[in-house]
Amino acid sequence: MTAQGADQPQPLPLSVDRTSPVPLYFQLAQQLEAAVEQGRLAPGTLLGNEIDLAHRLGLSRPTVRQAIQSLVDKGLMVRRRGVGTQVVHSQVRRPLELSSLYDDLEAAGQRPATKVLRVTTEPATAEIAAALGLPEGTEVHLVERLRYAHDEPMALLRNHLPPDLLDLRAPELESTGLYRLMRASGTTLHSARQSVGARAATAGEARALAEEPGAPLLTMERTTYDDTGRAVEFASHVYRASRYTFTFQLLSR
């Protein structure tokens, strides 16, 4: 298969092992996915002709089509009428650890950017007050942001913080991550309690995240504590399931 980008087309080194028990379409899909993740198939790249690839590898056209369709289903590629199959941005795989989305995207080379939707104060609901260890109705900071990677919306972020923690301003929140600002203010982030789930996108969330209403979203709620045990953040985030996954490391006990 030839990757057709702005530069001269570069053939990908693809091969299949017919003696392997792994299905041929899956072998091909794994190699194409690795090429996307490693940047050898950059976002926006058009894939070459399926017939040519099938002939080159000695595969049937349905086998090649199945391999490509599996990547379309993962959100790594998209079929465009009159254009062909095109690479989109790779899915973000985020480890479950005490780090910010901004830092994780930056470390993965995903070019994070932020649009601040709201920076305000509001009375803490019972849920937020319980998470932050404050009386219900206490005025707390609310920050709402839309986080982008490669100019594409990835997550809608809502964070509540104690009122005396730090001074929050939109320009700083758009230029860096919240955890960096917290650390710069002298807060030492120590631990967190977090839950991950999933649900359908509301109309407003779908509009913000460039998804269809009812599209699957990953959800994350996190209460973060400093080194004194004080709750310093209650986060409620939603992520595009088509572009985002959480990864877990499991240890035997």
Side-chain angles (χ1 to χ4, degrees):
M1 176 167 287
T2 299
Q4 298 174 353
D7 301 324
Q8 184 177 353
Q10 296 293 325
L12 289 174
L14 302 171
S15 63
V16 293
D17 180 4
R18 286 176 170 74
T19 66
S20 170
V22 179
L24 297 177
Y25 89 89
F26 191 72
Q27 292 184 43
L28 177 57
Q30 284 185 312
Q31 293 174 70
L32 292 173
E33 182 172 355
V36 173
E37 297 292 346
Q38 295 165 10
R40 290 182 287 124
L41 280 176
T45 299
L46 288 173
L47 300 186
N49 190 291
E50 292 179 5
I51 298 177
D52 292 342
L53 179 60
H55 178 74
R56 173 182 156 193
L57 296 177
L59 299 173
S60 68
R61 189 176 180 186
T63 297
V64 173
R65 187 182 300 115
Q66 186 178 9
I68 293 175
Q69 185 60 46
S70 69
L71 301 186
V72 172
D73 293 341
K74 286 185 175 183
L76 300 179
M77 297 181 183
V78 64
R79 297 185 188 274
R80 302 189 189 280
R81 184 181 299 274
V83 176
T85 303
Q86 192 171 28
V87 177
V88 295
H89 302 302
S90 60
Q91 193 175 52
V92 176
R93 292 179 170 84
R94 185 180 184 187
L96 281 181
E97 57 187 34
L98 188 50
S99 61
S100 73
L101 175 58
Y102 189 96
D103 291 340
D104 290 339
L105 290 173
E106 189 173 66
Q110 294 284 336
R111 297 207 324 260
T114 305
K115 179 181 179 181
V116 175
L117 305 178
R118 278 203 296 170
V119 181
T120 187
T121 59
E122 67 177 19
T125 63
E127 179 187 24
I128 294 165
L132 294 177
L134 299 170
E136 186 176 350
T138 301
E139 289 288 320
V140 294
H141 288 298
L142 166 63
V143 179
E144 287 188 346
R145 295 161 294 160
L146 193 57
R147 181 60 46 77
Y148 293 81
H150 290 290
D151 301 320
E152 184 178 13
M154 298 291 294
L156 191 58
L157 316 176
R158 285 172 55 91
N159 299 78
H160 287 89
L161 297 90
D164 59 344
L165 190 69
L166 75 162
D167 186 22
L168 295 169
R169 300 178 185 275
E172 287 81 3
L173 289 164
E174 289 187 341
S175 64
T176 189
L178 178 60
Y179 279 10
R180 290 186 185 180
L181 294 175
M182 293 170 71
R183 291 186 176 103
S185 74
T187 300
T188 301
L189 303 177
H190 178 266
S191 60
R193 184 175 65 249
Q194 178 168 293
S195 62
V196 176
R199 62 171 172 80
T202 66
E205 291 166 343
R207 189 163 50 249
L209 294 171
E211 292 281 4
E212 293 295 325
L217 299 179
L218 295 173
T219 66
M220 185 274 283
E221 287 191 352
R222 173 188 285 180
T223 303
T224 305
Y225 304 89
D226 67 9
D227 56 349
T228 70
R230 178 194 185 192
V232 294
E233 173 209 28
F234 176 68
S236 180
H237 300 171
V238 292
Y239 304 83
R240 299 176 68 187
S242 61
R243 297 287 183 270
Y244 201 87
T245 61
F246 289 100
T247 59
F248 300 78
Q249 182 177 12
L250 305 178
L251 301 176
S252 175
R253 300 183 67 174

